[in-house]
């Protein structure tokens, strides 16, 4: 009887060398990737990547646009080009999910009964989207636009540091001027008075009132961002650094290891009027210059620097000497480039002290 022929698969010519790379090195590479969309694509490569991605330490989330749950971006209440509604941040962080993590929707977690790696976006909060990332240490979230509306040509930058409440806030505002493109046939711009005093016109032409509006609006934006980070911080005890910024570069909220620890240990005081953290009674230091000549051919008219710290004993997180030093370091390191130079120039000018009640 004739024997049946058997078909044998050819043996592999060589082993997959990538399998020899240890998980620790793969995780190091994935941490360099950081971007949550790219990590979603990596998860679809193999079971090994699908297992490793939730263990990354560094995650970066960029929100391109605000969408409704059904994906319709035409809702005027969520249109960033229209006047910003009071509860924009709530809409933003509740409805961003379809935009930021679309690559994750069909991934499966083999270690949890083949359940989706991330839940369906239309039914869960942002905290649940990040829930399967179990080892996040450094988290950065970028919003699609700044929160404080300003007139055309006006620059506004703020940076805030929070623990369970506001610890430091720095606000820089003014009107930038490109001196390179306007150098020909241009009259000299007004220079600041030698004694650094604020001119009388600053009070009479609405300059002071405008700066107060900038300050209050920036603090509201910062405290709203802080409040909405509660579930993320609660669900990720491994967090060491959290930064929430925007694509315009207008505002940055930062929390380090000590601030995150304080946030978890001390109760958060919420504002009674809105979904945001209550801003404590604070002391403000205002400095002003009618004009500053900055590096890179940039000038700034009406340059204003406001440094804000909570009033009361112990607001600095230590003795007064250390608290002042920390505030100075935070102030000097708040901005980069020519705006860092603007801060250095303004801190040398006369300081005006103001007090603000909590709100």
């Amino acid at each position: 009887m004739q024997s049946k022929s058997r078909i044998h698969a050819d043996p592999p010519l060589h082993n997959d060398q990538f399998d020899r790379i240890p998980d620790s090195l793969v995780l190091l590479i994935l941490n360099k990737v950081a971007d949550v969309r790219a990590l979603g694509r990596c998860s679809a490569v193999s079971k090994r990547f699908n297992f490793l991605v939730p263990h990354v330490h560094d995650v970066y989330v960029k929100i391109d646009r605000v969408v409704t749950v059904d994906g319709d971006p035409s809702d005027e209440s969520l249109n960033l080009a229209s006047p910003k509604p009071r509860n924009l941040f709530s809409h933003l962080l509740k409805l961003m999910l379809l935009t930021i993590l679309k690559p994750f929707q069909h991934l499966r977690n083999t270690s949890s009964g083949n359940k989706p790696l991330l839940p369906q976006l239309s039914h869960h909060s942002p905290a649940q989207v990040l829930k399967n990332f179990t080892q996040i240490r450094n988290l950065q979230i970028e919003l699609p636009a700044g929160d404080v509306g300003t007139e055309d040509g006006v620059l506004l930058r703020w940076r805030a540091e929070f623990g369970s409440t506001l610890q430091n806030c720095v606000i820089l505002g003014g009107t930038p001027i490109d001196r390179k493109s306007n150098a020909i046939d241009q009259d000299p711009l007004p220079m600041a008075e030698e004694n650094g005093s604020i001119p009388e016109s600053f009070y009479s032409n609405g300059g002071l009132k405008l700066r107060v509006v900038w300050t209050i609006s920036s603090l509201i934006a910062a405290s709203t961002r802080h409040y909405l980070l509660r579930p993320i911080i609660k669900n990720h005890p491994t967090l060491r650094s959290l930064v929430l910024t925007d694509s315009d570069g207008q505002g940055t909220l930062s929390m380090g290891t000590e601030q995150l620890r304080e946030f978890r240990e001390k109760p958060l005081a919420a504002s009674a009027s809105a979904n945001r953290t209550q801003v404590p009674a604070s002391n403000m230091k205002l400095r002003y210059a009618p004009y500053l000549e900055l590096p890179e051919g940039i000038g700034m008219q009406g340059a204003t620097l406001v440094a804000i710290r909570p009033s009361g004993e112990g607001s600095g997180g230590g003795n007064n000497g250390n608290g002042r030093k920390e505030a100075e370091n935070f102030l000097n390191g708040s901005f980069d480039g020519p705006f860092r130079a603007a801060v250095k120039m303004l801190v040398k000018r006369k300081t005006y002290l103001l007090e603000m009640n909590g709100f």
Side-chain angles (χ1 to χ4, degrees), residues 215-290:
T215 300
I216 299 300
S217 299
S218 298
L219 288 172
I220 290 175
S223 61
T224 304
R225 292 185 184 186
H226 179 252
Y227 184 83
L228 293 172
L229 291 173
R230 294 175 305 144
I232 294 176
I233 296 173
K234 178 182 178 181
N235 294 335
H236 296 278
T238 57
L239 269 176
R240 299 178 183 177
S241 172
L242 195 159
V243 177
L244 182 56
T245 184
D246 56 77
S247 60
D248 293 338
Q250 184 186 85
T252 301
L253 182 150
S254 61
M255 300 178 71
T257 302
E258 291 301 316
Q259 287 79 25
L260 289 165
R261 179 187 58 80
E262 179 185 301
F263 185 95
R264 297 183 182 103
E265 294 178 356
K266 294 184 180 180
L268 183 148
S271 171
S273 59
N275 290 328
R276 61 175 179 82
T277 304
Q278 183 175 358
V279 177
S282 303
N283 296 323
M284 300 188 296
K285 294 182 179 180
L286 184 145
R287 301 172 176 92
Y288 175 83

Side-chain angles (χ1 to χ4, degrees), residues 320-333:
N320 291 335
N322 289 339
R324 283 194 296 267
K325 186 65 175 177
E326 291 174 2
E328 290 175 3
N329 292 337
F330 181 79
L331 178 64
N332 294 328

Side-chain angles (χ1 to χ4, degrees), residues 74-135:
S74 61
D75 187 349
E76 285 298 319
S77 67
L78 300 176
N79 187 352
L80 295 174
S82 63
K84 295 178 175 60
R86 184 182 186 90
N87 61 344
L88 170 63
F89 298 101
S90 298
H91 282 291
L92 180 62
L93 291 182
K94 288 179 181 178
L95 307 176
M96 70 182 185
L97 310 179
L98 288 173
T99 303
I100 63 173
L101 290 175
K102 191 173 181 180
F104 282 105
Q105 292 187 59
H106 304 295
L107 299 181
R108 300 283 168 174
N109 190 341
T110 56
S111 63
S112 301
N114 204 33
K115 294 181 180 179
L117 180 63
L118 293 178
Q120 290 299 314
L121 302 181
S122 60
H123 302 293
H124 295 78
S125 69
Q128 289 173 306
V129 171
L130 294 172
K131 189 174 182 179
N132 285 292
F133 289 91
T134 59
Q135 301 295 326

